[in-house]
Amino acid sequence: MITVAGPFALSAERLLVLAGFAVAVLAGWLLSRRRGQTMPVSRTLTGMLVAGFISSRLAFILLYLDDYLIEPLSMLDVRDGGFHFPSGVLAAALVGLFQGWRSPAIRKPLSVAVFSGITIWGLGLLSLTQLQPARPMLPPISLTAMNGDSLNLQTLNNRPMVVNLWATWCLPCRREMPVLERAQQRDTWLNYVFINQAESIAQIENYLADEGLDLDNVLLDASAVSGRLLQTRGLPSTYFFDAEGNMTDVHVGELSRATLNQQLRKLR
């Protein structure tokens, strides 16, 4: 089933971070209350979360600064999911250590809270890894080209592939399409394929003409079977395949130039 990812695509991993934070706040509050402390540990935990969020974003921007400088305002648009997790962890830890040094009374509840949150996050991540099904191979599905001809998706797998599932009514899809258009013109070492989900040729042609987009390999999937076979969780979804048809990664939600180049670096 195809759903809209919306402006923020919350992956299971990010939801686990939020769940761990919630458990940490609860554990810290319960222990502080039991010890009769007035200083809320939740304030320190919130500061750690904010510091981690900002630092991980800034680190990612620095890693892909050339991409962001082309459109500087895109640095503020966190919908692309561009974060550097290790930098965020380091910043959060430093904030926690500093607050513990300043206020010895919160050291124990803060330590218990952080340990509880990390435990929940780690167990959740382990369960997710164990339960997550194997990534599907590039499916041999028959799709319709813009000229009406039938085409098997696997015939385009003579080199690495980027497969984008999209629809004209999906606003994040529309926002990321110029980025993918420029990438298709630039990255001649791989194939970009745009599989439209259950719309007509006329709808697609009108959209491309109105937006002034010149895309190759635009294919129609009238029954949205590609979304089911690729286990799509929302639109837009972008899949990365090597030249043997093995899926190397998937990005759910809007891509920026920086997050696309991050995935392409892995694919190379």
Side-chain angles (χ1 to χ4, degrees):
M1 181 178 178
I2 301 298
T3 57
V4 184
F8 296 95
L10 285 177
S11 65
E13 292 81 2
R14 292 172 191 165
L15 288 173
L16 283 174
V17 171
L18 295 178
F21 173 73
V23 169
V25 170
L26 178 61
W29 177 78
L30 289 174
L31 190 55
S32 296
R33 185 181 180 187
R34 179 192 238 177
R35 293 163 63 94
Q37 294 173 332
T38 57
M39 179 174 291
V41 174
S42 58
R43 186 182 305 168
T44 299
L45 292 170
T46 301
M48 293 171 63
L49 181 67
V50 172
F53 177 85
I54 294 175
S55 299
S56 61
R57 179 63 175 178
L58 288 176
F60 185 84
I61 289 173
L62 290 174
L63 285 172
Y64 295 93
L65 186 59
D66 291 342
D67 295 320
Y68 281 110
L69 287 177
I70 295 174
E71 297 180 36
L73 288 179
S74 64
M75 297 180 187
L76 303 176
D77 191 351
V78 298
R79 293 174 296 189
D80 66 356
F83 298 96
H84 188 252
F85 188 72
S87 299
V89 172
L90 177 61
L94 289 175
V95 169
L97 289 172
F98 177 71
Q99 292 297 337
W101 172 75
R102 283 185 58 193
S103 306
I106 71 168
R107 290 176 186 173
K108 183 172 182 178
L110 181 60
S111 299
V112 172
V114 171
F115 177 78
S116 301
I118 291 176
T119 300
I120 291 299
W121 171 77
L123 290 175
L125 198 60
L126 180 62
S127 300
L128 188 66
T129 302
Q130 296 296 323
L131 297 175
Q132 195 170 33
R135 287 174 175 167
M137 296 284 291
L138 184 70
I141 54 177
S142 181
L143 303 168
T144 304
M146 291 296 286
N147 61 6
D149 292 343
S150 180
L151 184 146
N152 190 299
L153 183 60
Q154 288 188 339
T155 62
L156 297 172
N157 195 209
N158 58 342
R159 64 184 74 178
M161 289 179 62
V162 177
V163 177
N164 180 256
L165 270 57
W166 67 288
T168 62
W169 46 261
C170 167
L171 292 180
C173 302
R174 297 170 73 102
R175 286 194 300 264
E176 74 175 1
M177 202 58 76
V179 172
L180 293 170
E181 179 197 36
R182 291 191 293 270
Q184 186 178 57
Q185 296 168 359
R186 177 194 67 195
D187 303 323
T188 56
W189 58 278
L190 53 78
N191 283 329
Y192 283 85
V193 181
F194 304 91
I195 304 180
N196 180 271
Q197 300 295 288
E199 294 184 296
S200 68
I201 291 178
Q203 286 175 295
I204 299 170
E205 287 179 337
N206 290 336
Y207 162 72
L208 296 176
D210 290 342
E211 299 296 325
L213 294 169
D214 183 16
L215 300 175
D216 295 327
N217 299 329
V218 178
L219 305 175
L220 287 71
D221 184 0
S223 58
V225 65
S226 57
R228 293 192 292 273
L229 293 177
L230 291 174
Q231 303 168 8
T232 300
R233 292 175 290 170
L235 293 182
S237 285
T238 307
Y239 300 85
F240 299 84
F241 296 91
D242 63 21
E244 285 71 48
N246 301 302
M247 185 187 296
T248 61
D249 217 328
V250 57
H251 182 98
V252 181
E254 185 175 344
L255 278 165
S256 67
R257 180 185 172 97
T259 49
L260 175 61
N261 285 337
Q262 178 192 36
Q263 295 292 348
L264 295 183
R265 180 181 292 183
K266 300 176 188 176
L267 191 58
R268 282 185 182 276

